[in-house]
Amino acid sequence: MADNIRVTVWNEYRHEKSDKAVADVYPQGIHGQIAAFLGANADIETRTATLDEPEHGLTDEVLAETDVLIWWGHMAHGEVQDEIVDRVQKAILNGMGLIVLHSGHMSKIFRRMMGTNCTLRWREIGERERMWVTNPAHPIAAGLDEYFEIPHVEMYGEYFDIPQPDSLVFTSWFQGGEVFRSGCAYYRGKGKVFYFKPGHETLPIYYQSEVQQVITNAVRWAAPVAGPYSDISACTHDVDPIEDVEVQE
Amino acid sequence: MADNIRVTVWNEYRHEKSDKAVADVYPQGIHGQIAAFLGANADIETRTATLDEPEHGLTDEVLAETDVLIWWGHMAHGEVQDEIVDRVQKAILNGMGLIVLHSGHMSKIFRRMMGTNCTLRWREIGERERMWVTNPAHPIAAGLDEYFEIPHVEMYGEYFDIPQPDSLVFTSWFQGGEVFRSGCAYYRGKGKVFYFKPGHETLPIYYQSEVQQVITNAVRWAAPVAGPYSDISACTHDVDPIEDVEVQE
Amino acid sequence: MADNIRVTVWNEYRHEKSDKAVADVYPQGIHGQIAAFLGANADIETRTATLDEPEHGLTDEVLAETDVLIWWGHMAHGEVQDEIVDRVQKAILNGMGLIVLHSGHMSKIFRRMMGTNCTLRWREIGERERMWVTNPAHPIAAGLDEYFEIPHVEMYGEYFDIPQPDSLVFTSWFQGGEVFRSGCAYYRGKGKVFYFKPGHETLPIYYQSEVQQVITNAVRWAAPVAGPYSDISACTHDVDPIEDVEVQE
Amino acid sequence: MADNIRVTVWNEYRHEKSDKAVADVYPQGIHGQIAAFLGANADIETRTATLDEPEHGLTDEVLAETDVLIWWGHMAHGEVQDEIVDRVQKAILNGMGLIVLHSGHMSKIFRRMMGTNCTLRWREIGERERMWVTNPAHPIAAGLDEYFEIPHVEMYGEYFDIPQPDSLVFTSWFQGGEVFRSGCAYYRGKGKVFYFKPGHETLPIYYQSEVQQVITNAVRWAAPVAGPYSDISACTHDVDPIEDVEVQE
């Protein structure tokens, strides 16, 4: 673990290249905007990676130098190679944090980590969302008020097919009648996973201060802990007993 | 859901055919013994399925008629076809219960459902195990005492790389110095998953009354609930709002 | 445990006596209406108890014959004697189920079981509530659709100061902008606790079929399991070791 | 919140005064030893408080200046005044961390926070304990190996009557045949609670480096988060709806 938290912001980076409306909102790409506000913190270093780079930009070297990986994808989940998903999963279980944003709920890596469909309802009419803090003791809620609003969003609604989170940090309300578990924290292996609902390719959500605050908090929470096991996947065969055990017939 | 609980006992069924010591303990196969004690209950109907049958015995028809699937595998996890794993996962998320026994912790289906390595330590010296009840309110603990012992077991020890269970029903003690979360209950989608540690191909563990009691309890707990969603994986696009929503500019 | 589930419906029973609007909605008292719909099930027997009876109707004899206690209180939480709260807590930890309804969130017994303030926000303008199922695998969700609506309710909103439930079965949406964890299941000792938000003294909520379905499901879920420990609060001193332990200097 | 974490170490401080064997091990009292090793960290400031001081040393002023309270008690739990317990509970729910050590499991404050009996089995023959890390991703496991041993301990065994922890960080093995959930982390209100089993009045357990490491980690984890709500117990009445709500008849 470095002194600074080393964040890799991964973006599918397709919408921005094909759709002027997206490029207008995120001229450096969604990854560029996320890396920009994170990098403004003295304790965080950022790099970016995108789908169309070799190995999607997620080589063994990059992952070895990544404390927290942020994931944004939407239209090309199926193009992510399974062997890269295997590699990222292994890195998470060995301690790397994973923060999955918005439509990343259907990414291969999030579905892999959850073991469930990760499906949900949605609607896109630009309605209002209120994100209520449902665990005010959690470090990811630091600096927030009881709730914050995002004025125009895509609605994501229950049933969200995920395991019950180890901690449910946010629960959202939508104008049109739905609720959503919108901030979900998990321990997995030596690593941590946080799903956070806000985001959209044409809405300026990653410019909103509360959203930036939560993602920054989540990076600090998800950074690896220098705990036991260099490779948690390595079964230890033939463990000696604590002392001679007399097995009775 | 039928009136009776329809259980399919799946067994790799390789050890029994190649190793006389195993066949001596389980002449009808491990699946045969499990089906026998379960089938003695008036509310449970059983069938069996094995690896070397077409589609591993787990056709769409079989799964459609299965309320709870019991899984025993050990030496041939890698031979289970991925498309059958996909099918079983889908059935679980749509309500079928899954009970994974002993070395099934490394099966593809259990690892798929957990999202983690599911690795653990082990040792085989025939030592003693004590299974302590750590949730006496859980229906899977019905009819048990504070703990029960299994006189000769293969040790399975922590760290067991699984998500923290929704309920930790048993925690085991081993003579040689290890502990293990040995009875782990999960909700996943519309379905339930229970991992239960006891079992071995050459030890007569599935003849022990407490072990039979727990597996029987687990079948009743894991049977499907007639709840919402016929196919939980089907996203509902274009959900109408509860009423006309005025979106403010 | 009897063959039938023996339910005691406890009601403060003050509003009904002092307020004609309440008596018009619940002429037999809220407890009478809940006992009536529960008692229509062949596997459930009911009795009632109220605040102004001796020992609040919750004598040792009554509790000894109670599998599940349902609690409704609102204006007189402070009049419940602490020694009766102690007695009910002990019964729960020894296996009796507790179902707390609506304004019972501020009852002494619920706050005792939770260890937290159990405070929340509220508003009374007769707005609409949607109760979304957030654990479709849970037996308390049996027979329901994805959500159900209650047309006119008192709003209860987050932050609801409770421990994260062992299972979050319902999450509610309100017209006025709030969300609420409205169906919360807990294991405690040998017993189970379920908090369920619906109800009100002047709104006919306990006549609604989905609400009755949930309370009936909860009774079946909360009924005691014949597990270990006759009195879970009795520490076992001087437990013998499994065999002679050689303590090294 | 100050820049440094302000820890108050509370000790019953009776054994040390009446029993030479205890005073020989802990000449400055158990609180003195804990404060000493914590205070050696640049980011931690300590003070102590004991039962026989006015208000048990836990005045409003002291609690207002305490980020994390450590609790050690054994023979005089009953002498702690209920109004001080109320005050400490309120402080925890408003953000103060609580770390309960060893025999503090039967303290009024821990039982209050848990809502359960908090009873367990015990035995005192100086046997060996192995503390296994069962959540290697948790910050409280930082700097540890897969397990550590304490050579001579009092055994604490299941069933430990507590709510299932939000995270089970340690599970212990004992020579004589028991297991124990020995490191249990909880979120409660705006605060956090950690129960940690090691300790004893006549065994030099608080001099062991791994034990010191865990308590130090726990202090950092339990320090308050600057989240929402100045007083979480204050219900907010008459919350306005997000906008005019049309209530349909």
Side-chain angles (χ1 to χ4, degrees):
Chain A
M1 208 171 16
D3 290 336
N4 284 346
I5 304 173
R6 300 162 305 175
V7 176
T8 299
V9 183
W10 191 90
N11 183 10
E12 193 179 273
Y13 199 33
R14 289 278 175 85
H15 285 292
E16 294 92 330
K17 291 187 278 192
S18 62
D19 185 341
K20 190 175 174 306
V22 181
D24 284 351
V25 179
Y26 291 113
Q28 271 81 44
I30 288 173
H31 54 298
Q33 168 56 12
I34 293 172
F37 73 71
L38 284 176
N41 295 283
D43 59 336
I44 297 176
E45 292 173 23
T46 64
R47 66 198 304 166
T48 63
T50 57
L51 179 65
D52 293 325
E53 295 173 46
E55 306 182 46
H56 312 321
L58 298 173
T59 60
D60 282 324
E61 293 69 30
V62 167
L63 290 180
E65 294 172 356
T66 298
D67 293 318
V68 179
L69 177 65
I70 296 183
W71 196 276
W72 203 98
H74 183 216
M75 59 192 283
H77 293 314
E79 294 181 44
V80 177
Q81 299 167 56
D82 287 336
E83 67 186 81
I84 306 296
V85 176
D86 294 344
R87 184 188 290 170
V88 173
Q89 178 185 26
K90 185 170 181 177
I92 296 165
L93 295 173
N94 276 327
M96 184 181 75
L98 176 72
I99 299 173
V100 174
L101 297 174
H102 192 61
S103 47
H105 73 93
M106 286 300 281
S107 63
K108 287 184 178 179
I109 185 60
F110 187 60
R111 299 177 82 185
R112 176 75 67 86
M113 296 308 299
M114 296 292 104
T116 52
N117 291 302
C118 302
T119 43
L120 49 79
R121 295 158 186 273
W122 74 88
R123 176 176 58 234
E124 207 167 341
I125 58 170
E127 69 203 283
R128 189 148 49 149
E129 177 175 0
R130 269 189 175 179
M131 301 200 78
W132 289 91
V133 173
T134 41
N135 184 352
H138 200 284
I140 292 180
L144 297 177
D145 213 333
E146 292 90 331
Y147 68 87
F148 63 91
E149 291 195 4
I150 308 180
H152 301 286
V153 305
E154 181 180 12
M155 184 282 290
Y156 275 11
E158 297 284 344
Y159 175 67
F160 185 20
D161 186 21
I162 51 169
Q164 177 162 310
D166 290 307
S167 182
L168 178 63
V169 187
F170 298 102
T171 304
S172 285
W173 173 95
F174 297 91
Q175 247 177 312
E178 284 80 12
V179 297
F180 191 65
R181 288 170 293 168
S182 52
C184 299
Y186 298 91
Y187 297 104
R188 288 295 184 267
K190 288 183 63 179
K192 301 183 192 75
V193 177
F194 184 61
Y195 175 78
F196 189 50
K197 184 262 175 192
H200 195 260
E201 58 276 13
T202 59
L203 296 168
I205 288 172
Y206 296 127
Y207 294 93
Q208 184 170 334
S209 64
E210 293 97 334
V211 171
Q212 294 182 357
Q213 173 80 66
V214 172
I215 296 173
T216 307
N217 290 344
V219 162
R220 291 180 181 132
W221 170 78
V225 164
Y229 304 105
S230 58
D231 180 0
I232 204 167
S233 70
C235 268
T236 310
H237 189 204
D238 208 12
V239 185
D240 287 329
I242 192 166
E243 55 195 11
D244 285 345
V245 170
E246 283 181 51
V247 178
Q248 298 166 325
E249 292 311 308
Chain B
M1 206 170 19
D3 290 335
N4 284 346
I5 304 173
R6 299 163 305 176
V7 176
T8 299
V9 183
W10 191 90
N11 183 10
E12 193 179 273
Y13 199 34
R14 289 279 175 84
H15 284 293
E16 295 92 330
K17 291 187 276 193
S18 63
D19 185 340
K20 188 173 176 308
V22 181
D24 284 351
V25 180
Y26 293 112
Q28 271 81 43
I30 289 173
H31 54 299
Q33 168 57 12
I34 294 172
F37 72 73
L38 284 176
N41 295 284
D43 60 336
I44 296 176
E45 292 172 22
T46 63
R47 65 199 304 167
T48 63
T50 58
L51 179 66
D52 293 325
E53 296 173 45
E55 305 182 46
H56 312 321
L58 298 173
T59 60
D60 283 323
E61 293 69 31
V62 167
L63 290 180
E65 294 172 356
T66 298
D67 293 319
V68 179
L69 178 65
I70 296 183
W71 195 275
W72 202 98
H74 184 216
M75 59 191 283
H77 293 314
E79 294 182 44
V80 177
Q81 299 166 57
D82 287 336
E83 67 187 79
I84 305 295
V85 177
D86 294 344
R87 184 189 290 171
V88 174
Q89 178 184 26
K90 185 171 180 177
I92 296 165
L93 295 174
N94 277 327
M96 184 180 75
L98 176 72
I99 299 173
V100 174
L101 297 175
H102 192 61
S103 48
H105 73 93
M106 286 300 281
S107 63
K108 287 184 179 180
I109 185 61
F110 187 60
R111 301 176 82 185
R112 176 76 65 86
M113 296 308 300
M114 297 292 104
T116 52
N117 292 301
C118 303
T119 43
L120 48 79
R121 294 158 187 273
W122 74 88
R123 177 176 58 234
E124 207 167 339
I125 58 170
E127 68 203 282
R128 187 146 52 147
E129 177 175 1
R130 269 190 175 179
M131 301 199 78
W132 289 90
V133 173
T134 41
N135 184 353
H138 200 284
I140 292 180
L144 297 177
D145 214 333
E146 291 90 330
Y147 67 87
F148 63 91
E149 291 196 4
I150 308 180
H152 301 286
V153 305
E154 181 180 11
M155 183 282 291
Y156 275 10
E158 297 284 343
Y159 176 67
F160 185 19
D161 186 20
I162 50 170
Q164 177 162 312
D166 290 308
S167 183
L168 179 62
V169 186
F170 298 102
T171 304
S172 284
W173 173 95
F174 297 91
Q175 245 177 316
E178 283 80 12
V179 297
F180 191 64
R181 288 170 292 168
S182 52
C184 299
Y186 298 91
Y187 297 104
R188 287 295 184 267
K190 289 184 62 178
K192 301 183 191 74
V193 177
F194 184 62
Y195 175 79
F196 189 50
K197 185 262 175 190
H200 195 261
E201 58 277 12
T202 59
L203 297 168
I205 288 172
Y206 296 126
Y207 294 94
Q208 184 169 334
S209 64
E210 294 97 333
V211 171
Q212 294 182 358
Q213 173 80 65
V214 172
I215 296 173
T216 307
N217 290 345
V219 162
R220 291 181 181 132
W221 170 78
V225 164
Y229 304 104
S230 58
D231 180 0
I232 204 166
S233 70
C235 269
T236 311
H237 190 205
D238 207 13
V239 185
D240 287 329
I242 193 167
E243 56 195 12
D244 284 345
V245 169
E246 283 181 52
V247 177
Q248 298 166 324
E249 292 309 308
Chain C
M1 206 168 22
D3 291 334
N4 284 347
I5 304 173
R6 299 163 305 175
V7 176
T8 299
V9 184
W10 191 89
N11 183 9
E12 192 179 274
Y13 200 34
R14 290 277 176 86
H15 284 294
E16 295 92 330
K17 291 188 276 192
S18 61
D19 185 341
K20 187 174 176 306
V22 180
D24 283 350
V25 180
Y26 292 113
Q28 271 79 44
I30 289 174
H31 55 298
Q33 167 57 11
I34 293 172
F37 73 73
L38 284 175
N41 295 283
D43 59 336
I44 296 177
E45 293 172 22
T46 63
R47 66 198 303 166
T48 63
T50 58
L51 179 64
D52 293 325
E53 296 174 44
E55 304 183 45
H56 312 322
L58 298 173
T59 60
D60 283 323
E61 294 68 32
V62 168
L63 291 180
E65 294 172 357
T66 299
D67 293 319
V68 179
L69 177 64
I70 297 183
W71 195 276
W72 203 98
H74 183 216
M75 59 191 282
H77 292 315
E79 294 181 42
V80 177
Q81 299 167 56
D82 287 337
E83 66 186 81
I84 305 296
V85 176
D86 293 344
R87 184 188 292 170
V88 173
Q89 178 184 26
K90 186 170 180 178
I92 296 165
L93 296 173
N94 276 328
M96 184 182 75
L98 176 72
I99 299 173
V100 175
L101 298 175
H102 191 61
S103 47
H105 72 93
M106 284 301 280
S107 63
K108 287 184 178 179
I109 185 61
F110 188 59
R111 301 177 81 186
R112 176 77 65 84
M113 297 308 300
M114 296 292 104
T116 52
N117 291 301
C118 302
T119 43
L120 47 80
R121 294 160 186 273
W122 74 89
R123 178 176 56 233
E124 207 166 338
I125 57 169
E127 68 203 284
R128 189 148 51 149
E129 176 175 1
R130 270 189 174 178
M131 299 200 80
W132 289 90
V133 173
T134 41
N135 185 351
H138 201 284
I140 292 181
L144 298 177
D145 213 333
E146 291 90 331
Y147 67 87
F148 64 91
E149 291 195 5
I150 308 180
H152 302 286
V153 304
E154 180 180 14
M155 183 282 290
Y156 275 10
E158 297 283 345
Y159 177 65
F160 184 20
D161 186 20
I162 50 169
Q164 177 161 311
D166 290 308
S167 183
L168 178 63
V169 186
F170 298 101
T171 305
S172 285
W173 174 95
F174 297 91
Q175 246 178 314
E178 283 79 13
V179 297
F180 191 66
R181 288 170 293 168
S182 51
C184 299
Y186 297 91
Y187 296 104
R188 287 295 182 269
K190 290 184 62 179
K192 301 183 191 75
V193 178
F194 185 61
Y195 175 79
F196 188 50
K197 186 262 176 193
H200 195 261
E201 58 276 12
T202 59
L203 296 168
I205 287 172
Y206 296 128
Y207 294 94
Q208 185 170 335
S209 64
E210 294 98 333
V211 171
Q212 294 182 357
Q213 174 80 66
V214 172
I215 295 173
T216 307
N217 291 343
V219 161
R220 290 179 182 133
W221 170 78
V225 164
Y229 305 105
S230 58
D231 180 1
I232 205 167
S233 69
C235 268
T236 310
H237 189 207
D238 207 12
V239 185
D240 286 329
I242 192 166
E243 55 194 12
D244 285 344
V245 169
E246 285 180 51
V247 178
Q248 299 165 325
E249 293 309 309
Chain D
M1 208 169 18
D3 290 334
N4 284 346
I5 304 174
R6 299 164 306 175
V7 177
T8 299
V9 184
W10 191 90
N11 183 10
E12 190 179 276
Y13 199 33
R14 289 277 176 87
H15 285 294
E16 294 93 330
K17 291 187 277 191
S18 62
D19 185 341
K20 187 173 176 309
V22 180
D24 283 351
V25 180
Y26 292 113
Q28 272 80 43
I30 289 174
H31 55 298
Q33 169 56 11
I34 293 172
F37 73 72
L38 284 175
N41 294 283
D43 59 335
I44 295 177
E45 292 171 24
T46 63
R47 65 197 304 166
T48 63
T50 58
L51 179 65
D52 293 325
E53 296 174 45
E55 305 183 43
H56 312 321
L58 298 173
T59 61
D60 283 323
E61 293 69 32
V62 167
L63 291 180
E65 294 173 357
T66 298
D67 293 319
V68 179
L69 177 65
I70 297 183
W71 195 275
W72 202 99
H74 183 216
M75 60 192 281
H77 293 314
E79 294 181 43
V80 176
Q81 300 167 55
D82 288 336
E83 66 186 81
I84 305 296
V85 177
D86 293 345
R87 184 188 290 170
V88 173
Q89 179 184 26
K90 185 170 181 178
I92 296 165
L93 295 173
N94 276 327
M96 183 181 76
L98 176 72
I99 299 174
V100 174
L101 297 175
H102 192 60
S103 48
H105 72 94
M106 284 301 280
S107 63
K108 287 185 178 179
I109 185 62
F110 187 59
R111 301 177 82 186
R112 175 78 64 85
M113 296 308 300
M114 297 292 103
T116 52
N117 291 301
C118 302
T119 43
L120 47 79
R121 295 159 185 273
W122 74 89
R123 177 176 58 233
E124 206 165 339
I125 58 169
E127 69 204 282
R128 189 149 47 152
E129 177 175 1
R130 269 189 175 180
M131 300 200 79
W132 288 91
V133 173
T134 41
N135 184 352
H138 201 283
I140 292 180
L144 297 177
D145 213 332
E146 292 89 332
Y147 68 87
F148 64 91
E149 292 195 3
I150 308 180
H152 301 288
V153 305
E154 181 180 12
M155 184 282 290
Y156 275 10
E158 297 284 345
Y159 176 66
F160 185 19
D161 186 20
I162 50 169
Q164 177 161 311
D166 290 307
S167 182
L168 178 63
V169 186
F170 298 101
T171 305
S172 284
W173 173 95
F174 296 91
Q175 246 177 313
E178 284 79 12
V179 297
F180 191 65
R181 289 169 292 168
S182 51
C184 300
Y186 298 91
Y187 296 104
R188 288 295 183 268
K190 290 185 61 179
K192 301 183 191 75
V193 177
F194 184 61
Y195 175 79
F196 188 50
K197 186 261 176 194
H200 195 260
E201 58 277 13
T202 59
L203 297 168
I205 288 172
Y206 297 127
Y207 294 94
Q208 185 170 334
S209 65
E210 295 98 332
V211 172
Q212 294 182 358
Q213 174 80 66
V214 172
I215 295 173
T216 307
N217 291 343
V219 161
R220 290 179 181 132
W221 170 79
V225 164
Y229 304 103
S230 57
D231 180 1
I232 204 167
S233 70
C235 269
T236 311
H237 189 208
D238 207 13
V239 186
D240 287 329
I242 193 166
E243 55 194 12
D244 285 345
V245 169
E246 285 181 50
V247 178
Q248 297 165 326
E249 293 309 310

